[in-house]
Amino acid sequence: MAIRLQLPPALRSVMGGERWVSATGATIGEALHDLSTRHPPLGLHFFDERDAIRRNLVFVHSGALIRAREAASYRLRDGDELILTNALAGG
C-alpha cells in the first residue's frame, strides 16, 4: 500500500530538500519503518530507543489529528497522504 508523507521543514534537509516522500505500509507505523529502512537518518527522528514512535510527532490524516501513541496502529489506505509535524508544548 503506497502513501505520501509530507515532511516538516526540519526533516527536509535529511531528504535533500524533498517536501513529500513515498512509503509503503498498512499503518503509519509500518510506513515510518519503511522510510527509516530506506533512509536510516529519518529513523532517528521517527523512533526512540525502544523503537516506539517519538511522542513529539503528530500526524494529520484527512483532517484528523493522530498522536504518536495512536499512530503505530492507525490504518491507512492506498494513496493516502499524511502530514507530519511536531507537537507544540508550552505553559
Side-chain angles (χ1 to χ4, degrees):
M1 182 162 335
I3 62 110
R4 285 179 12 123
L5 176 71
Q6 180 180 329
L7 296 172
L11 291 183
R12 292 176 192 165
S13 63
V14 175
M15 294 300 297
E18 291 295 320
R19 182 176 185 168
W20 289 94
V21 293
S22 296
T24 59
T27 65
I28 293 175
E30 289 177 11
L32 294 181
H33 275 290
D34 173 59
L35 279 170
S36 66
T37 299
R38 292 184 294 118
H39 308 284
L42 285 177
L44 298 173
H45 297 279
F46 293 157
F47 300 103
D48 65 17
E49 60 282 346
R50 295 172 295 131
D51 200 36
I53 296 173
R54 292 192 181 275
R55 294 182 345 175
N56 67 311
L57 298 181
V58 177
F59 303 86
V60 179
H61 176 253
S62 297
L65 189 69
I66 298 100
R67 301 212 178 264
R69 66 182 168 270
E70 305 158 337
S73 60
Y74 188 91
R75 304 290 300 170
L76 299 170
R77 292 182 298 228
D78 194 40
D80 278 354
E81 293 186 344
L82 291 171
I83 298 170
L84 169 61
T85 188
N86 289 324
L88 298 176

